[in-house]
Amino acid sequence: MVVSNLTDAVGISAGPDFTCAVRSAGTVVCWGSTALGYIAVNPIPNPSPLPAAVVGVTNVEGIATALGSTCALFEGGNVSCWSRLSGSVTVTAVPELTGSVAIANGVTECGLLPDGKVICTGGFLASSITVAGDATAITVASSSIDAAVGSPIGCALVAGGSIQCWQTVNGPGAGLGSAVVPLAAATAVATSGAHTCAVLADTTVACWGDNLFGELGNGTTEDSETPVPVSNLSGVTALATGWYHTCAVLADGTGACWGNNQLRSNEGGITDATTPVTVTF
């Protein structure tokens, strides 16, 4: 399905039940649910079936959506976020992330600085904290619904292909701990907080974490604390994790998904898939 009235998108981010895009002019449009003020339009419709402009937000270079909030990376490296979890929508600066070249949003708000340092703030954190260094890309679990104590709430792809993930220590509010994942060289990483997947240099995928619905893609529903190969999958160019499923884009332009099948109606039924199932666009 083609999104109506949007032909100049240069960036996009999908939240749990809404989506936002950056247009070529640096403005932002969003569509979908506005029940919690995900979309900072005025007045706020609920829902918004068509892309609606985010009022007063310009010169945007990147966007990051999560459960209950949206963050924007502006020209020059400033970061601001907005939500309507309590009261009216307010676009609020996040000075701790100033100078970022990339952002991620979810359980916490994180920014990647030009020197590779990753700083996270917000959420349950009492103050900003450095969680990784020498990073080239970052990902954060979209919400605390996903993240469990001891499971990654964020990960960084580190120069050279290693992956460093961070997690809560002794429950929310007690700080963050980080560790390097024992994994072959990777080119991309995505985490839901409950499970994490990485694209490896050979274009295959490995996943680890919860596996209740087969979201690790190895043909089982057994959890794994260490990365396991996704069955019969190669040629992967991009990857995304949902709460209980994972999807990949392949070099031939097709896609593949595995895990919870509740939202994949084009295959008929809601049978979960413990190995990748081809999805055509």
Side-chain angles (χ1 to χ4, degrees):
M1 180 179 295
V2 177
V3 176
S4 301
N5 304 326
L6 184 61
T7 59
D8 60 346
V10 295
I12 191 168
S13 180
D17 54 3
F18 74 109
T19 306
C20 293
V22 181
R23 308 189 76 162
S24 58
T27 57
V28 174
V29 292
C30 299
W31 60 98
S33 173
T34 63
L36 294 177
Y38 301 130
I39 303 173
V41 297
N42 187 19
I44 299 174
N46 188 23
S48 178
L50 297 175
V54 179
V55 177
V57 177
T58 59
N59 300 318
V60 174
E61 292 188 337
I63 200 82
T65 56
L67 180 63
S69 70
T70 303
C71 295
L73 173 64
F74 296 90
E75 294 177 7
N78 291 331
V79 177
S80 291
C81 301
W82 59 89
S83 68
R84 192 168 170 258
L85 294 176
S86 57
S88 61
V89 172
T90 302
V91 179
T92 305
V94 186
E96 296 89 343
L97 303 185
T98 297
S100 295
V101 296
I103 57 173
N105 181 29
V107 181
T108 60
E109 301 149 3
C110 299
L112 172 62
L113 301 185
D115 63 359
K117 182 185 297 183
V118 180
I119 296 177
C120 293
T121 190
F124 56 80
L125 296 176
S127 60
S128 60
I129 184 173
T130 299
V131 294
D134 204 23
T136 60
I138 54 177
T139 179
V140 176
S142 64
S143 78
S144 58
I145 291 176
D146 309 322
V149 174
S151 297
I153 63 170
C155 295
L157 180 65
V158 179
S162 62
I163 291 175
Q164 184 172 348
C165 294
W166 51 94
Q167 62 282 321
T168 58
V169 178
N170 297 324
L176 297 175
S178 63
V180 175
V181 179
L183 190 68
T187 59
V189 61
T191 186
S192 73
H195 76 290
T196 306
C197 295
V199 182
L200 306 184
D202 63 0
T203 74
T204 63
V205 173
C207 299
W208 61 99
D210 289 356
N211 196 28
L212 179 63
F213 299 98
E215 53 265 45
L216 301 189
N218 66 338
T220 76
T221 54
E222 297 178 1
D223 299 344
S224 178
E225 295 182 357
T226 58
V228 294
V230 174
S231 302
N232 304 317
L233 186 68
S234 62
V236 175
T237 60
L239 187 72
T241 51
W243 285 352
Y244 306 115
H245 70 284
T246 312
C247 289
V249 177
L250 308 184
D252 63 3
T254 63
C257 294
W258 56 97
N260 186 280
N261 189 35
Q262 187 172 359
L263 299 180
R264 295 209 311 276
S265 59
N266 62 319
E267 294 161 16
I270 57 172
T271 302
D272 299 333
T274 60
T275 58
V277 175
T278 300
V279 177
T280 55
F281 302 106

